[in-house]
Amino acid sequence: MSDGNPYEIIDDTPETPRLPGQVVLSEDADQALDAIGMDIVHHAKACVRAFGDFHLALSGGSTPMPLYERMMIDPAYREMPWRRTHLWIVDERCVPFDHEKSNFGQISELICDHSDIPRSQVHPIHAYEPDADVRYEKELREVLGWREKGHDRLDFVLLGMGDDGHTASLFPHSPALDVRDRLACFNRGPAVTPPDRVTMTYGLINSARFVGALVVGKKKAPMVHRIANGMETPREIPIKGIAPVGGEFRWYLDPESARWPV
Ligand code: 6PG
């Protein structure tokens, strides 16, 4: 209770929500970006030491774009071993790469054009092709297959979350939620926010060594609260289906996404 002291320090840090997985609550959105960014570099270096390469899958959406940009210009990210990194795309809209809604178009402009990642290690989803899902699955199996059995999985998957609880292009009540035997698939129909998408499936994401969900900003707070406290199923809130089988799951929040009531 305040005693009227004008110099009292009010700590308005919200409580850390109890989400499935570990939760990193940063001081602000900027620090949340760096928290996940530094984890990417840390895992990249460890994987390169252990396996000779690093398989990174990145999401689109507005939240991670400033991080991708920062990874190119901030000296703190200089140790990121892009030359040994394979870059995968978590999900893609069925548009050409030069369309403003193309995830790969944006990621490629920010990362591929400014790093020394070899072109042969960049794996876009050709989502405007009718067999894009089959092609991507084949490429994943082929390239990850160079690794020893058991290590043939993605090393780091960066996810975002929509206000409706979707992640990747796994939307509430959409057909891709039921796909169990595939690594990538199309997702279309009334439950999918247009345009149609190709997405990594639960199976592929949950087989990853590490999954990070970057969720910042006030708009995400009601959903963060529902995930922490509600009883909904992954069909209603797809990010609740993220549970890496032999890996870690970490959330990166800022006070705005963690605070409830907003
Ligand atoms: C996409 C994403 C998607 C995204 C969320 C959050 O291509 O749109 O992969 O799952 O992460 O929609 O998007 P924002 O970061 O824009 O809120």
Side-chain angles (χ1 to χ4, degrees), residues 58-64 90-93 101 103 159-164 166-171 197 214 216 219-220:
L58 295 181
S59 288
S62 55
T63 311
V90 172
D91 64 318
E92 186 57 278
R93 294 118 200 252
K101 289 204 157 137
N103 283 344
L159 296 177
M161 183 187 82
D163 315 349
D164 61 353
H166 82 260
T167 192
S169 279
L170 299 166
F171 288 89
R197 322 280 183 117
L214 176 61
V216 301
K219 272 173 62 189
K220 308 284 164 81

Side-chain angles (χ1 to χ4, degrees), residues 177-198:
L177 301 179
D178 295 320
V179 177
R180 297 283 154 195
D181 53 343
R182 304 282 311 279
L183 303 185
C185 65
F186 278 95
N187 206 11
R188 317 179 162 102
V192 173
T193 306
D196 292 350
R197 322 280 183 117
V198 173

Side-chain angles (χ1 to χ4, degrees), residues 59-137:
S59 288
S62 55
T63 311
M65 294 303 159
L67 169 65
Y68 303 157
E69 198 172 0
R70 189 175 306 169
M71 289 180 84
M72 295 300 112
I73 52 180
D74 187 329
Y77 290 94
R78 210 169 273 157
E79 288 186 27
M80 176 68 195
W82 288 111
R83 281 196 67 76
R84 299 293 192 91
T85 298
H86 281 264
L87 177 60
W88 301 92
I89 302 295
V90 172
D91 64 318
E92 186 57 278
R93 294 118 200 252
C94 299
V95 295
F97 295 145
D98 59 3
H99 191 284
E100 53 165 17
K101 289 204 157 137
S102 163
N103 283 344
F104 179 69
Q106 295 178 56
I107 292 171
S108 156
E109 231 173 70
L110 291 173
I111 294 179
C112 306
D113 296 356
H114 300 281
S115 69
D116 57 356
I117 185 166
R119 187 61 193 82
S120 59
Q121 291 168 205
V122 176
H123 308 283
I125 306 175
H126 298 265
Y128 45 87
E129 305 276 3
D131 60 347
D133 55 343
V134 177
R135 275 173 69 175
Y136 211 52
E137 174 153 345

